[in-house]
Structures are given as structure tokens and as C-alpha cells.
Amino acid sequence: MSEISTIGARLKAIRRERNMTQEGLAAAADVSRDVIAKLEQGRRQWARAETLMKLANALDVDLSDFTGKRDRIGSDRDGGRVLALRNALISPTMLPDIDDQSGAEPVSVEDLHRSVAAAVATYWRGDFGALLATLPGLITDARRTHASAGTSATQSLALAYDLGANLMVHLGRDDLAAIGAERAIITAHGGDDELLWATLHATYSWVMLHQARLEEAEQLAANMAARVEPSFSGDARRVAVWGNLLMTALAPAAAAKRDIAEYISLAGAGAERLGRRVNIYHTAFGPASVAMQATHAHATMGKPDRALESARKLHPGDLKGISQGAHLLDVAQAHVDAKHRRAAVERLQEARDVSPVWFRHQGIARSLVRDIREEETRPSPAIRSLAQTLAL
């Protein structure tokens, strides 16, 4: 069965296993019965993320059962294996009174720090194959060095776990991503850097967003933002961490169609206070961050005019790597909703150019290309090329 048709087939099979009618599922999920019928009959090939989240929660299944999230690295694997990363995240050497029997010497804290920085850069370039090849060993090295050097290696180990969590989300392994995010937070909690500890909760919130746990995702990020809220004269690093947590809470709030104005207002005020981009823990916060996340929120909520208005506040060079790619997908979504098909296709092509490997793992890209292809009487060469990249 082709990937295009599997969403309807899966929906129908799971619904019947639950002994639910289409009407019953529609009521439980607060989704139109017509949408469910069209998906199951193959007359509609995709649905917006918030609709799939509601259906998944109503049927008590993982969101990935509908979205088809999986490893799409393909020939760009560089020898790396998802199972090797799993084994690094879930290792028996982490159990009490179980020693590392490898006999390997720990790397120096300085070398570990440089290796983590290089891995983070690889992630933001969207080079998932290279990252998958190096990350299992990096996590193992970081754990060994942390056991030897203690607090001085805490940040590197926490960030290595966090990288594993982020990569696992893209590869469709949300449960393993949650384990990685939890390991990162616990590691940071054992150190002496409150802002690092707070920052890492953003990844846990992002994982829960992908698990369709919208309320929990929003509350976690919002609560952590409240814990590190800066004073009026607060230092720039604290403002940056606080602002990023507010923007993390914004995404699940938008997906749940809740009020997002306060998040944008507060983060916008913080960004205006900074007046610049502040880098911290391999992330950044500033006016561009707020504009990017506001674009995403409005696009998610089906408000294309507001999304495109926010997008116009960004300037060339404000975003890099897959941050730019994700923003382009949000802009493409807004253009699709506004019936600007040509502009949407152009933004999709630009997003693909950021990193084809990363692009293949984006459910929104597959959704948009399907939507545009269905609207075109004869698919254009650009859409055929995008569909080929996505294996549609």
C-alpha cells in the first residue's frame, strides 16, 4: 500500500479495532465526520497536524501511527545506525553498580566540548546522516568523561543527550526522544547551571508536542519560563532562556487553538529589550526568533495573513540552517492557505535546498506537496521534483 493511502487505511483499521463508528470518532475527537470519511475513502490524502492529533488522542494511539514518521535518511546514512543511537541512550552501564567494562579512557573535557559543538553544528545544517554516525560514540564518550571529570563535563553530556532527543524526533522515534530529553535534564540538574537545566526543558516540551500532548507541552515550557523570568535589569542570557521557553510554549498553544497573544507580547518585549541576537547553549534568541515563532503559530492556526505579516519582519541572514528551513515551510503553509500556489512551491524548493535529508523528514512538507499536487490538473515539474524528493 502506498504511503499516500496508508493514513486512511490506518485510521479505518484502528477505528474498527476500537469498535467506533465514524460518527462516534468525530464526536470524541471534535473533528468533522466528513473529514474522517474522506480520509478513509482515499478522497482526502492528508489532514492538518491538529486534526491528526485529535484523532490520535481519541483513538489512544501515537500520532506517528498516522503521520508515517520514520527514518528517511536512506543512502545519506554515512554508516550510522538508529539502533546504535538507541543503544547509547539506553545503556546498561547507566544502571546502579554496573561498571563500564570497555576499558576505554575518557576524552578530555576540552576535546569533548569541541566535539559536542561540532555535532550541534552538524545538526543545524540538517546533515542527519553524519550526525547519526557520530552521535552514539559522542554520547558514550561524554558519559565516560562525565563519570571521570564530574561537573566540568555536565554541559557537554547534557547537550549530547539533548542532540540525541532532537534527532530521534525527526526520525520518528518519539519515545526514545523523550528518554534522551529526560536524560539531558537529569544530567543538567546534577550540575550547577540553572539556565542550562531550564533550557533543556524546551526539547522535552517539543517531544510532547510531537506526541500530541499539547497541554502538557505548553505547561512545561510556560512553567519553566516562569521559574527563570528575569528582572527588568536581568542579564541577557537569562532573558534569552526565558524568551526561548515562551516561544516553546507558543507552539503547542497554537496547535490547540488557544490564545497566543501573551506569549508573543512577552517574548517580543524581551527581544526588544535585548535588541540583538543572544547565543546560548547552541541556541539563540532575539527579535528574529519571535518573528519566526509568530509566523509558525499563525500558520498553524490557519491565519495566513498574520503569518505572512510576521514573516516580513525577518531579514536575510536572520535564520540559519534548518531553522531557516522550518520557517520556509511555515511560510509555504501560509501561502497554500492564502491560495498563493506558486509562492508556496518556491518556498518549498528553498526549504529543500537547505537540507534534502532534513526536508525528507518533515511531515508538513509531505502534506503541502500532496495538497498542491491534488489541486493541479497536471502536476508541474517543480511539484513532481518535490514529490520525488519526498518519495511520494
Side-chain angles (χ1 to χ4, degrees):
M1 184 177 295
S2 70
E3 184 182 344
I4 289 179
S5 64
T6 51
I7 182 172
R10 288 173 178 173
L11 175 60
K12 186 175 183 179
I14 295 170
R15 177 180 62 77
R16 287 182 169 179
E17 285 177 2
R18 300 293 190 268
N19 197 28
M20 296 179 73
T21 64
Q22 289 183 346
E23 292 80 2
L25 177 56
D30 191 24
V31 169
S32 166
R33 178 191 173 279
D34 183 60
V35 169
I36 295 171
K38 287 181 178 178
L39 286 170
E40 292 189 357
Q41 295 165 10
R43 291 185 290 138
R44 182 169 179 169
Q45 308 297 345
W46 199 249
R48 294 184 79 109
E50 57 268 26
T51 299
L52 297 179
M53 288 178 180
K54 289 179 178 181
L55 290 170
N57 282 329
L59 291 167
D60 193 28
V61 296
D62 287 336
L63 179 61
S64 59
D65 286 355
F66 293 142
T67 58
K69 287 175 59 180
R70 58 179 173 80
D71 165 15
R72 299 172 188 272
I73 295 177
S75 60
D76 297 296
R77 193 169 296 273
D78 284 355
R81 299 174 65 244
V82 176
L83 292 183
L85 180 53
R86 177 204 64 185
N87 294 345
L89 291 172
I90 308 175
S91 170
T93 61
M94 301 181 67
L95 296 173
D97 297 325
I98 301 294
D99 296 328
D100 180 359
Q101 301 294 326
S102 68
E105 291 294 320
V107 300
S108 70
V109 172
E110 294 75 17
D111 286 345
L112 178 62
H113 182 77
R114 284 191 289 269
S115 295
V116 170
V120 170
T122 301
Y123 171 78
W124 287 112
R125 286 197 306 271
D127 192 353
F128 290 170
L131 183 60
L132 186 62
T134 60
L135 192 52
L138 177 59
I139 290 174
T140 302
D141 285 345
R143 194 157 51 224
R144 192 175 293 124
T145 298
H146 183 255
S148 172
T151 304
S152 61
T154 294
Q155 178 175 316
S156 291
L157 176 57
L159 290 177
Y161 279 138
D162 189 67
L163 265 180
N166 279 277
L167 182 57
M168 281 298 191
V169 169
H170 288 290
L171 301 184
R173 305 293 290 270
D174 293 339
D175 288 346
L176 286 172
I179 291 172
E182 183 178 293
R183 298 240 193 276
I185 292 168
I186 291 172
T187 299
H189 190 264
D192 56 7
D193 189 339
E194 178 196 22
L195 293 183
L196 171 64
W197 173 75
T199 291
L200 295 171
H201 287 75
T203 297
Y204 206 117
S205 173
W206 188 54
V207 173
M208 288 194 292
L209 170 62
H210 283 266
Q211 293 175 325
R213 299 163 64 185
L214 302 182
E215 184 174 357
E216 292 172 277
E218 180 185 355
Q219 287 181 349
L220 178 63
N223 289 342
M224 291 309 303
R227 291 189 62 154
V228 298
E229 183 174 0
S231 64
F232 182 79
S233 58
D235 70 273
R237 296 172 77 253
R238 181 171 287 269
V239 173
V241 170
W242 171 74
N244 274 333
L245 285 165
L246 289 175
M247 292 294 90
T248 301
L250 175 66
K257 299 294 191 292
R258 289 193 280 270
D259 183 28
I260 62 173
E262 185 174 6
Y263 289 129
I264 295 176
S265 175
L266 287 172
E272 184 177 352
R273 186 193 314 175
L274 292 175
R276 58 187 174 88
R277 171 190 174 102
V278 174
N279 296 308
I280 182 169
Y281 309 124
H282 305 292
T283 63
F285 178 74
S289 307
V290 179
M292 173 189 173
Q293 295 301 334
T295 302
H296 172 75
H298 292 310
T300 297
M301 299 179 80
K303 299 178 179 179
D305 291 343
R306 301 279 306 269
L308 294 174
E309 179 184 354
S310 296
R312 284 192 285 270
K313 297 178 182 178
L314 287 161
H315 303 95
D318 279 346
L319 303 174
K320 303 291 186 182
I322 60 176
S323 286
Q324 172 69 359
H327 175 67
L328 288 166
L329 291 180
D330 290 329
V331 175
Q333 175 71 75
H335 281 306
V336 166
D337 291 341
K339 309 300 182 184
H340 306 155
R341 188 186 304 165
R342 178 178 296 180
V345 172
E346 290 173 353
R347 301 295 84 74
L348 285 165
Q349 290 174 309
E350 291 171 6
R352 179 181 58 181
D353 290 345
V354 168
S355 166
V357 177
W358 164 84
F359 186 76
R360 290 201 299 268
H361 288 85
Q362 306 312 304
I364 185 176
R366 293 193 294 277
S367 174
L368 293 173
V369 171
R370 286 180 177 124
D371 287 348
I372 295 171
R373 186 171 62 178
E374 287 180 8
E375 291 179 2
E376 293 184 344
T377 305
R378 179 176 297 176
S380 65
I383 282 295
R384 289 200 300 271
S385 175
L386 288 165
Q388 183 177 17
T389 299
L390 296 166
L392 298 179

